[in-house]
Amino acid sequence: MKNHNVREDWYHRFLRWAGGEEPEGAEGPEDPERAEFQEYLEYIEAHGYMEFGAYRLMRFRQRREKGLEDPRGSLHGPPAPEPEPVHPPRHHRPGKLRNQILLYRVLSAVIVITLAAIFLVVTMNLPLFGRADSPAVNEVSQRYLEQGLEETGAVNAVTGMILDYRAFDTFGESAVLFAAAMSTLLLLHSPKSRMRTFRGPDQVLSQVGRRVLPVILLFGVYVVVNGHLSPGGGFSGGAILGGGLILASLVLGEERMARMLPAPRTSKITVTCLLAYGLMKGYSFYTGANHVGWEVPKGIPGAILSGGFILPLNLCVGIIVACTMYTFYSLFLEGEG
Amino acid sequence: MLETILQQRYYITAVLLFSIGFVTLFLHPNLIKKIIGLNLMDTAVFLFLASMGYIEGGAAPIVEEGAKASQYINPVPGGLVLTGIVVAVSTTALFLALTIRLYRQYHSVNLDVILMLAWEGKAED
C-alpha cells in the first residue's frame, strides 16, 4: 500500500501528513485515481447511480477474484483491463461483521428506548416548570443577583457571572475554541491547495451584501462592547462579527479576505487575545485573593466604562470567537476544493 | 397527569429531541447525519437547562440597584448554556473536519461503506 522503501522517521511523515499530502497513491504523471474516477463516471452513466466507495469495493472484489494483480495494490493501483459489468451484491458483508452490526443496531435501539423511558419518568417527577421554589433557585443565584452589581459592577448579571465569578471557566471555553480551530487547521489545511478563483457572486447578493455588511459589523461591535450593560456579550457579539466576516468573504471575494486576514494572522490575533485574557484575569485574581488593594475601579454601574476588567475581557472573547468562526469557514471552503 | 404533562412540556420536548438525536447518532449510517444528531442532542440539553432557569413572571437578569432576586429569572443556567454552545460548535467543527479526511480516504461518507472498505483492507493482512 505504501511506497516507502526507505522508512522515513515518523516526524517527517507526520509533517507531510499534516501538510495535507495523502500517504499513498496519486503520484506519477498520470493520476490513477483520476482515471478510476473517469471509469466510475462512465459506469454510472451506463448502469445507474451508485456510490463511489461501493464502486471501488466492487471493482476491488472483481479484480481479486480474477487474480489479475496483487489485490493489496489494486485498491489504489491502475484500473484492471475490462471487468464484467456485474451488479455488486448489495447487502453482502463478511458474516462476522454483519452479525456485529446487527447486534449493534438492536442494542442501540434498546438503550435509546430505555433511556427515553427513564428520562420521561424522571421528567414527570421534576419540580414543576416555572416555579420559584424549585431547588435550582438557591442561594447561589440569589447572591449573583443581589450582590453581583456591587461586587462586579456589571448590570448584566450573566456577564458579571461568566466574566467575574466564573472567569476561568470562560477562559477554558476560549481555549477550547482555539484548540478546535487549531485541530481543524491541522486536519484540513494544505499549503499546496491554491485559492479557488473567485467567481463573482450574484449581482443582487453582491449589492445587498455590500450595503448590509457595515451594519452587521457595527451591530456586532455594539453587542460586544455593551456586554455588561445589555443582553449580549463576547460570545454572541463575536458570533455576529464572525458572520459578518463570512459575509465579507462571500461578497468581496475570498482572495481579498485572504490578503486581509490570512490564517497565520488570525491565529496570532487569537493567541494574543487569549494571553491578554489570562494576564488580566490572573492580575485580578491575584490582587483580589491577597488583598493587595490595587483593584481596578468598578466605575458607576450602567456607564460604558464600568465593571473593571469586564469590558476588555468581553472584547478579547469577542475577537477570539469572530476569528475562530472565520477560520472554520475559510478552512472548510479550502477543504471543498 | 395531563396537567403535569402540559406543565412540563419543555422538559418532555427536550427528552424527545434528545432521543431523536440519539437514535440518529447511533443508527444512521451517514456521518454528516450522525453529526446533525449529535447537535440535536446538544440542543435538547440547552433547552432543558434554559427551561430549568425560568421562573414565572421573572425578568431578564439585567439588574437594578437594590432589587430583590425574586424579580429575575435564574442567571446560572444561562451561563451554563453559553459554555455548552461554545463546546458544541467546537466539537461540530472538529467532527466535520475528520469527516472530510475520511471522505478523502474512502470517497464516501457512509459509515457502512467505510467499514466495509476498512474490513477488506484488514482481511488481506
Side-chain angles (χ1 to χ4, degrees):
Chain A
M1 241 171 180
K2 288 177 183 154
N3 47 358
H4 296 313
N5 295 326
V6 188
R7 287 186 65 84
E8 294 176 85
D9 61 324
W10 63 271
Y11 181 66
H12 286 282
R13 270 166 54 200
F14 173 76
L15 277 189
R16 290 201 301 130
W17 173 79
E21 193 173 324
E22 299 297 332
E24 60 236 81
E27 272 158 300
E30 83 280 13
D31 193 347
E33 282 193 9
R34 180 171 291 273
E36 193 183 8
F37 194 69
Q38 291 290 345
E39 276 197 16
Y40 161 69
L41 288 181
E42 286 164 19
Y43 182 82
I44 58 170
E45 282 274 311
H47 296 89
Y49 177 73
M50 69 188 292
E51 265 186 271
F52 188 45
Y55 170 78
R56 290 181 80 192
L57 182 62
M58 184 196 73
R59 293 289 309 271
F60 174 68
R61 283 191 175 131
Q62 283 169 355
R63 260 178 256 144
R64 193 179 50 183
E65 275 170 22
K66 286 186 176 180
L68 278 176
E69 47 187 305
D70 177 24
R72 271 177 67 80
S74 65
L75 199 57
H76 298 280
E82 186 48 53
E84 291 296 311
V86 193
H87 278 290
R90 281 191 69 98
H91 290 292
H92 173 73
R93 290 192 187 99
K96 203 172 153 194
L97 188 62
R98 189 175 50 202
N99 286 344
Q100 280 177 1
I101 287 174
L102 194 68
L103 184 68
Y104 167 78
R105 295 226 162 115
V106 172
L107 267 184
S108 43
V110 168
I111 287 172
V112 168
I113 290 171
T114 319
L115 262 184
I118 293 173
F119 283 164
L120 281 176
V121 171
V122 169
T123 301
M124 301 316 280
N125 294 308
L126 276 178
L128 287 179
F129 171 74
R131 289 290 175 82
D133 55 353
S134 88
V137 187
N138 52 16
E139 69 278 359
V140 178
S141 65
Q142 193 184 355
R143 180 178 174 114
Y144 286 166
L145 283 170
E146 285 179 352
Q147 281 160 48
L149 192 56
E150 64 182 87
E151 281 179 359
T152 68
V155 179
N156 185 348
V158 176
T159 305
M161 190 181 102
I162 65 168
L163 287 180
D164 199 299
Y165 293 111
R166 300 165 54 89
F168 267 128
D169 181 45
T170 312
F171 183 56
E173 273 176 80
S174 313
V176 164
L177 263 181
F178 177 66
M182 286 305 108
S183 5
T184 316
L185 190 76
L186 192 66
L187 282 169
L188 291 184
H189 187 60
S190 59
K192 59 183 182 183
S193 86
R194 65 210 173 281
M195 196 56 74
R196 295 187 311 167
T197 49
F198 178 61
R199 305 182 302 275
D202 185 62
Q203 195 66 27
V204 177
L205 173 70
S206 168
Q207 291 299 320
V208 174
R210 272 162 208 264
R211 277 159 183 72
V212 165
L213 184 59
V215 183
I216 291 178
L217 290 179
L218 192 66
F219 181 61
V221 172
Y222 165 79
V223 171
V224 171
V225 169
N226 275 278
H228 53 308
L229 303 178
S230 60
F235 286 105
S236 30
I240 296 171
L241 276 178
L245 287 179
I246 292 172
L247 181 68
S249 167
L250 280 173
V251 169
L252 303 178
E254 292 128 29
E255 288 180 7
R256 233 172 117 183
M257 281 305 282
R259 274 203 302 277
M260 271 191 277
L261 273 177
R265 190 173 296 165
T266 49
S267 314
K268 273 176 203 151
I269 292 173
T270 313
V271 171
T272 313
C273 285
L274 271 177
L275 283 178
Y277 188 111
L279 276 179
M280 277 190 276
K281 217 51 229 180
Y283 174 83
S284 71
F285 272 117
Y286 185 78
T287 54
N290 292 309
H291 303 285
V292 178
W294 294 339
E295 285 179 22
V296 188
K298 294 279 187 292
I300 311 148
I304 189 81
L305 287 175
S306 67
F309 272 140
I310 287 184
L311 178 62
L313 289 181
N314 252 332
L315 274 177
C316 284
V317 172
I319 292 171
I320 291 170
V321 174
C323 284
T324 311
M325 293 296 140
Y326 177 69
T327 310
F328 284 157
Y329 170 76
S330 54
L331 283 174
F332 282 118
L333 200 68
E334 197 176 279
E336 199 183 64
Chain B
M1 179 71 181
L2 194 69
E3 205 172 318
T4 323
I5 289 177
L6 209 62
Q7 184 75 23
Q8 309 283 61
R9 58 192 181 277
Y10 292 102
Y11 301 151
I12 291 172
T13 314
V15 169
L16 292 181
L17 261 182
F18 189 86
S19 311
I20 294 170
F22 217 30
V23 169
T24 318
L25 177 68
F26 272 175
L27 292 181
H28 210 290
N30 190 326
L31 283 174
I32 302 285
K33 291 183 182 170
K34 273 184 196 291
I35 297 172
I36 292 175
L38 199 69
N39 270 303
L40 266 180
M41 286 166 72
D42 288 334
T43 316
V45 174
F46 302 152
L47 174 64
F48 182 76
L49 281 177
S51 52
M52 258 305 183
Y54 180 71
I55 295 167
E56 220 152 30
I62 311 292
V63 293
E64 287 163 12
E65 200 110 35
K68 296 307 277 177
S70 52
Q71 297 172 11
Y72 302 105
I73 63 163
N74 192 349
V76 180
L80 297 182
V81 170
L82 203 58
T83 311
I85 290 174
V86 172
V87 175
V89 168
S90 311
T91 51
T92 307
L94 186 60
F95 288 152
L96 285 174
L98 286 171
T99 309
I100 289 178
R101 290 293 297 213
L102 266 180
Y103 183 80
R104 282 189 196 157
Q105 179 76 27
Y106 291 107
H107 300 283
S108 170
V109 288
N110 189 322
L111 190 60
D112 285 351
V113 171
I114 291 174
L115 268 179
M116 280 196 286
L117 285 170
W119 189 268
E120 293 283 319
K122 205 169 78 177
E124 296 298 323
D125 287 340

